[in-house]
Amino acid sequence: MRDSLSAEFQAYTLNFKRPSGTSRGVLTQKPSFFLTLISERAKGIGECGILPGLSVESFQDYPQKLAEVAKHIHSVESAEKLLQKLTPFPSIRFGLEMALLDLKTANPFELFPSAFSQGEATQAINGLVWMGDLSFMKDQLRLRLEEGFRCIKIKIGALDFEEELRLLQKIRKEFPVRDIELRVDANGAFDPHLALDKLKRLAKYDIHSIEQPIRQGQWQEMARLCEESPIPIALDEELIGVWEKEEKARLLSTISPQYLIYKPSLIGGIAACEEWIGLAKNQNVGWWVTSALESNIGLNAIAQWTYTLKNSMPQGLGTGSLYTNNFPSPLYIAKGRLGYNPKHPWELDKLLVKGER
């Protein structure tokens, strides 16, 4: 495609239906930016989803960086060359990847044609239970089970640990491991000196895995936990900011985790994730993919790509229903599985600033 190309972007604030708690605080809004590539024949939209406080990019400087990127896009070739220079800006890199795929596809937003994007297959996902008081978490759990989820991910680390254990105990009393797979996510909340004891206590409840028990960057402490923990450990935030292939391999050989979790917006997009996948395979490390609170535009790209990887584990792709002002899309959740109905239209009026798709 050698058409001349222009680019523009706009900010969009996603509003949570209700405050959503993590060990890093309570979320009420999520900023996103949408990068649009425009040629004479087509348009491609990509989401640059930043998580202030977690993404490596500076939120304050983000619009200026996007403006700089858009200014240097004159053709598909120039956009593809920019990808190589955007390694320190993982969410922008992923947004540009997404927009290029959308620009080139025959059907808008069908970035990875497959049985999934054609509505013929679905993929298993986990149901998410956010932090809150015990009553709130119980209500969420009950709802996730009614919705048909058989893999539940519970955010821990913000409440009193004894309360969290009581919740897990009640879950296991009613739902044994053969009925419900439980994953927990500490978001780095545990003190390294106390973490192993907490992991041993959590193990009583048949936990499938725990994400990021201690803060990232403590490789030796994490390696010790991965070796001694009775619960498999999944690295999440640990992957953020690790750009070079050699450094990725060194992280894996040093820590020897049981699982990796890939969030394209945080670790550099699809190409970067696929590099991690190759390294993980070489070291027999399991993995799954998780969205990072993107709107349905970013979630769609992640979900379509994930399906092509043929990983049968439940993926972390159930975040599309969190917002009051998300974009209606063909994505849907039924019985704990994510599907795509190509007959359902996308509704993107707020983003179509230059004509129709």
Side-chain angles (χ1 to χ4, degrees):
M1 184 180 295
R2 296 190 175 277
D3 295 358
S4 62
L5 204 60
S6 63
E8 59 188 34
F9 70 94
Q10 68 182 94
Y12 190 83
T13 300
L14 294 156
N15 299 313
F16 281 83
K17 291 178 180 177
R18 60 186 306 166
S20 298
T22 76
S23 61
R24 289 187 296 269
V26 177
L27 304 173
T28 59
Q29 293 185 321
K30 159 68 171 62
S32 275
F33 293 81
F34 293 91
L35 181 66
T36 303
L37 305 180
I38 305 163
S39 74
E40 293 180 1
R41 297 179 295 176
K43 178 178 289 190
I45 298 177
E47 179 171 1
C48 304
I50 188 171
L51 286 174
L54 185 58
S55 299
V56 295
E57 298 102 324
S58 164
F59 180 59
Q60 183 176 0
D61 299 333
Y62 206 79
Q64 291 88 337
K65 183 61 185 180
L66 272 173
E68 179 185 334
V69 168
K71 181 180 178 181
H72 286 88
I73 293 175
H74 308 292
S75 64
V76 169
E77 291 77 9
S78 65
E80 290 174 340
K81 287 180 180 179
L82 268 176
L83 288 174
Q84 309 309 314
K85 301 177 181 180
L86 287 172
T87 298
F89 303 92
S91 64
I92 298 178
R93 189 181 188 189
F94 180 42
L96 182 53
E97 272 185 330
M98 199 186 311
L100 281 165
L101 287 165
D102 191 30
L103 185 73
K104 297 174 184 179
T105 189
N107 298 313
F109 294 110
E110 189 179 14
L111 309 186
F112 295 89
S114 69
F116 176 79
S117 68
Q118 292 157 20
E120 299 167 357
T122 58
Q123 49 190 319
I125 60 174
N126 61 241
L128 183 60
V129 173
W130 290 89
M131 290 177 180
D133 60 48
L134 204 55
S135 175
F136 170 66
M137 294 181 76
K138 286 179 182 176
D139 288 344
Q140 287 185 88
L141 176 64
R142 191 176 301 112
L143 181 58
R144 298 292 89 80
L145 295 172
E146 290 173 356
E147 292 169 342
F149 288 97
R150 289 298 172 262
C151 176
I152 304 293
K153 171 180 167 179
I154 300 177
K155 296 276 190 178
I156 63 171
L159 299 181
D160 176 76
F161 186 63
E162 301 301 326
E163 283 192 11
E164 293 174 337
L165 289 177
R166 284 193 289 272
L167 174 64
L168 293 169
Q169 182 182 39
K170 289 181 179 181
I171 295 171
R172 272 295 173 239
K173 188 174 181 180
E174 187 172 353
F175 300 99
V177 67
R178 67 175 179 272
D179 295 333
I180 295 293
E181 178 181 287
L182 282 178
R183 300 173 178 175
V184 295
D185 182 2
N187 285 127
F190 294 170
D191 183 310
H193 302 294
L194 305 176
L196 185 59
D197 178 65
K198 290 187 174 183
L199 292 171
K200 289 177 179 177
R201 297 184 68 189
L202 285 166
K204 297 176 183 178
Y205 307 110
D206 296 307
I207 304 299
H208 170 271
S209 56
I210 181 168
E211 297 180 27
Q212 204 69 41
I214 63 174
R215 181 174 46 81
Q216 68 265 38
Q218 304 175 88
W219 287 16
Q220 297 304 323
E221 290 87 347
M222 188 69 86
R224 177 180 59 84
L225 288 177
C226 287
E227 182 178 5
E228 300 179 12
S229 172
I231 300 174
I233 290 176
L235 302 186
D236 181 359
E237 290 95 335
E238 201 73 63
L239 310 188
I240 298 172
V242 182
W243 309 130
E244 300 301 324
K245 187 173 183 178
E246 293 76 12
E247 187 74 352
K248 294 174 183 178
R250 191 170 73 85
L251 181 149
L252 290 177
S253 62
T254 300
I255 298 178
S256 297
Q258 285 77 32
Y259 295 104
L260 299 181
I261 298 173
Y262 306 128
K263 294 180 177 177
S265 290
L266 294 178
I267 63 175
I270 291 166
C273 287
E274 290 183 344
E275 186 170 77
W276 275 111
I277 288 171
L279 292 168
K281 183 178 180 180
N282 291 340
Q283 299 198 32
N284 295 314
V285 177
W287 55 269
W288 63 88
V289 177
T290 299
S291 53
L293 301 180
E294 292 87 357
S295 77
N296 280 334
I297 293 175
L299 178 61
N300 172 64
I302 297 169
Q304 289 190 22
W305 166 67
T306 299
Y307 180 81
T308 68
L309 303 174
K310 302 301 180 185
N311 184 334
S312 61
M313 295 182 70
Q315 307 294 304
L317 304 175
T319 55
S321 59
L322 293 174
Y323 304 114
T324 61
N325 60 337
N326 207 340
F327 307 101
S329 78
L331 294 168
Y332 68 90
I333 295 174
K335 298 181 180 179
R337 299 184 69 86
L338 181 68
Y340 188 93
N341 179 2
K343 295 180 180 179
H344 191 290
W346 282 88
E347 298 180 24
L348 300 175
D349 293 346
K350 295 175 183 177
L351 295 181
L352 298 181
V353 292
K354 284 193 176 180
E356 297 297 327
R357 287 184 64 103

